[in-house]
Amino acid sequence: PAGGSSDIKLTSAAFGAGQFTGTPHLVRVKSGALTGKFWVISAPQVAGDTVTVVEPNGGGPGNLAGLVATDSCEILPANTLASVFGAPTPIPGLVGAASAGAADNILIWNGTNFQTYFFNTNNNSWRTGLAASNNVILFPDDAVFIVRKATSTLPVTLMGTVPSTGERTELIGAANNFVANRFPVDTTLGTAGIEATPGWVKAGSAGGADNVLLWNAGTGSWDTYFYHTTNQWRKGLANASAVSIPAGTGFFIVRLAGTTDAVLAQALPYTP
């Protein structure tokens, strides 16, 4: 931290004025107590060796508590609707149209409901309603729904590096959090470490506990799981610790009323 509660000074850096204003960028911690934590670089950015950051959830001032001078950080472009799904030309196979009703939809959770985005062929850009949305960020810890109008398979490729450190996922208390499986490997409820989240509520039934909701493609609905007081994951009365969370999928983490914001810290599940 340097110069203020939301400023990060990077040794030997020499940023140009406005360097990070055209495309959203993130700062990610690579070592130390906050490994895996990330912030959004706020705009405009002045020249020098310091960046000002905001939290991804709600965009408030970056909370740098726990970041120390010996920690290393990296700056990387954020994935956006345009960079992942294409603009001014969409990725092959994606259905664009003049309205959301006729186009493929990308649904992004805003903390309360899914916001609908589509590729508008009238102006060759991403929109939600009439609002321009090319630079809407797809955060590393968020998942999205893709609603297809066509019946063909839509391959989506994300360019980047495979995680080589643990990851940290921000969870809002007393809320529904739509999150991603952060690693490119399958995991299970029993090995994902979700129940180790600070303040996680376990109970004798799903109604009194924090829940994990996994999408069931067979039924087209969400299955509810909870961490039982006997220290095992359950669906109803059945042991569910071996239930899979496949790579490349998203799921809901539902925190009970009265719970506070917390961070799910997950260790690297493989050897880099």
Side-chain angles (χ1 to χ4, degrees), residues 27-31 34-37 39 67 71-73 165:
V27 176
R28 181 181 180 277
V29 184
K30 297 197 67 177
S31 69
L34 297 186
T35 296
K37 168 66 179 174
W39 298 274
L67 188 68
D71 293 341
S72 63
C73 299
T165 67

Side-chain angles (χ1 to χ4, degrees), residues 90-108:
I91 60 175
L94 188 140
V95 178
S99 67
D104 287 343
N105 294 164
I106 308 299
L107 307 185
I108 300 177

Side-chain angles (χ1 to χ4, degrees), residues 1 10 28 40 72 77 86 102 123 128 139 141 147 159 173-174 184 186 201 222 231 257 267:
L10 299 172
R28 181 181 180 277
V40 181
S72 63
N123 47 47
T128 178
F139 290 111
D141 56 356
V147 181
M159 303 299 293
D186 296 347
V201 181
W222 298 96
N231 296 327

Side-chain angles (χ1 to χ4, degrees), residues 38-53:
F38 63 90
W39 298 274
V40 181
I41 296 178
S42 63
Q45 176 60 42
V46 298
D49 58 4
T50 300
V51 291
T52 301
V53 297

Side-chain angles (χ1 to χ4, degrees), residues 214-250:
L214 301 181
W215 182 251
N216 186 325
T219 63
S221 60
W222 298 96
D223 289 339
T224 300
Y225 301 88
F226 69 101
Y227 198 68
H228 194 267
T229 51
T230 56
N231 296 327
Q232 65 176 215
W233 285 95
R234 289 193 179 182
K235 178 186 176 186
L237 298 177
N239 187 332
S241 294
V243 168
S244 177
I245 305 176
T249 62

Side-chain angles (χ1 to χ4, degrees), residues 9 132 149 200 261:
K9 182 175 181 177
K149 296 300 190 295
W200 188 265
D261 295 356

Side-chain angles (χ1 to χ4, degrees), residues 27-213:
V27 176
R28 181 181 180 277
V29 184
K30 297 197 67 177
S31 69
L34 297 186
T35 296
K37 168 66 179 174
F38 63 90
W39 298 274
V40 181
I41 296 178
S42 63
Q45 176 60 42
V46 298
D49 58 4
T50 300
V51 291
T52 301
V53 297
V54 295
E55 293 292 335
N57 294 318
N63 180 2
L64 306 185
L67 188 68
V68 299
T70 54
D71 293 341
S72 63
C73 299
E74 62 180 349
I75 292 178
L76 63 159
N79 287 317
T80 64
L81 284 171
S83 68
V84 173
F85 295 105
T89 303
I91 60 175
L94 188 140
V95 178
S99 67
D104 287 343
N105 294 164
I106 308 299
L107 307 185
I108 300 177
W109 186 252
N110 64 13
T112 304
N113 50 49
F114 283 106
Q115 188 77 41
T116 300
Y117 298 87
F118 72 103
F119 188 83
N120 190 314
T121 52
N122 285 342
N123 47 47
N124 295 324
S125 66
W126 286 91
R127 300 276 158 158
T128 178
L130 298 176
S133 305
N134 275 357
N135 275 346
V136 168
I137 297 175
L138 306 178
F139 290 111
D141 56 356
D142 286 345
V144 301
F145 258 116
I146 301 176
V147 181
R148 290 281 282 158
K149 296 300 190 295
T151 58
S152 59
T153 300
L154 178 66
V156 178
T157 302
L158 290 178
M159 303 299 293
T161 58
V162 174
S164 58
T165 67
E167 298 288 0
R168 305 174 82 84
T169 298
E170 306 285 336
L171 300 179
I172 304 301
N176 298 347
N177 300 265
F178 193 48
V179 302
N181 179 355
R182 301 296 302 278
F183 303 104
V185 295
D186 296 347
T187 186
T188 66
L189 283 171
T191 59
I194 299 169
E195 74 281 358
T197 301
W200 188 265
V201 181
K202 60 182 179 180
S205 66
D210 289 340
N211 292 167
V212 169
L213 308 184

